Amino acid sequence: MTDGAEETDGQADGDHVDRLRRQWARELPDLDTGPMAILGRAYRLSNLVRGSIEATFAGFGLDRGEFDVIGTLRRSGPPYRLTPTELYTALMISSGGLTHRLDRLEKAGLIRREKSPQDGRSVLVVLTEAGAARAEAAFRADMAKEAAFLQALDPQDRAALAALLRKLIAGIERDPPRGDEPR
């Protein structure tokens, strides 16, 4: 094993990813499992926090997708309205998936659809006052929950980790691996 699999920060057995890497090293000793040290942990981290974050949004009567819509509208700034195309592009979902979310949010009074003043054939999705209040309250609760998850890291560790993840993501976005590598 390479790339830190032996470094367990004082834990006798390391973490879940260390255990997986040791198993793979035993079964496929010629294979470098170093990528798991980073990407495996990112995947594991996402799985560990997802349920708690979804429960936070559920406490506000929202699922993750609904929060994503009203959160996108809220962070877009005044007048808190976007076209459906701007929304589904920002959310990286299909237009059909967005329509279903918009229907639920409109029924709940969190958004409304109105004709564009520039083009009567176009529709704008507008965040209502209730939607803005719900988006802000849910986001504040989510940030408090996420901050609690990070308590094991001091401020310098958080900054270093954020910088490294930013660098990794920017590199992947700039030059994504080709999809034709052998499997």
Side-chain angles (χ1 to χ4, degrees):
M1 287 187 295
T2 61
D3 296 327
E6 300 299 329
E7 298 173 27
T8 59
D9 292 330
Q11 298 177 20
D13 292 329
D15 66 0
H16 179 74
V17 174
D18 288 330
R19 289 187 291 280
L20 295 178
R21 291 184 69 203
R22 281 193 297 275
Q23 290 170 339
W24 280 117
R26 183 187 67 238
E27 297 300 315
L28 300 173
D30 63 311
L31 183 63
D32 177 11
T33 62
M36 284 179 70
I38 297 169
L39 299 178
R41 282 190 175 93
Y43 181 73
R44 175 92 170 137
L45 177 61
S46 177
N47 286 337
L48 287 171
V49 302
R50 179 180 297 119
S52 180
I53 291 170
E54 288 173 354
T56 298
F57 293 136
F60 291 89
L62 301 166
D63 66 24
R64 180 67 184 252
E66 291 165 342
F67 172 77
D68 286 346
V69 171
I70 65 172
T72 298
L73 287 164
R74 177 63 178 86
R75 72 174 189 265
S76 72
Y80 308 114
R81 64 179 169 207
L82 296 169
T83 67
T85 300
E86 290 169 326
L87 269 172
Y88 74 73
T89 300
L91 297 170
M92 297 183 292
I93 60 171
S94 70
S95 60
L98 177 63
T99 299
H100 184 65
R101 290 177 189 180
L102 294 179
D103 290 343
R104 292 190 318 253
L105 292 166
E106 189 169 39
K107 187 175 182 178
L110 302 177
I111 60 119
R112 71 177 178 275
R113 295 173 179 138
E114 57 185 45
K115 291 187 183 227
S116 169
Q118 287 80 25
D119 178 1
R121 298 169 298 166
S122 296
V123 173
L124 293 172
V125 179
V126 181
L127 190 63
T128 65
E129 282 188 35
R134 181 98 47 102
E136 183 175 334
F139 187 62
R140 287 181 182 281
D142 177 50
M143 287 297 95
K145 176 81 56 114
E146 291 187 28
F149 285 127
L150 298 176
Q151 288 179 346
L153 301 176
D154 65 35
Q156 294 81 11
D157 288 340
R158 291 180 196 189
L161 181 57
L164 289 170
L165 290 171
R166 181 182 307 110
K167 183 177 181 179
L168 176 63
I169 290 169
I172 293 170
E173 288 176 342
R174 186 175 46 255
D175 187 21
R178 295 189 341 245
D180 59 353
E181 288 93 11
R183 293 183 177 231

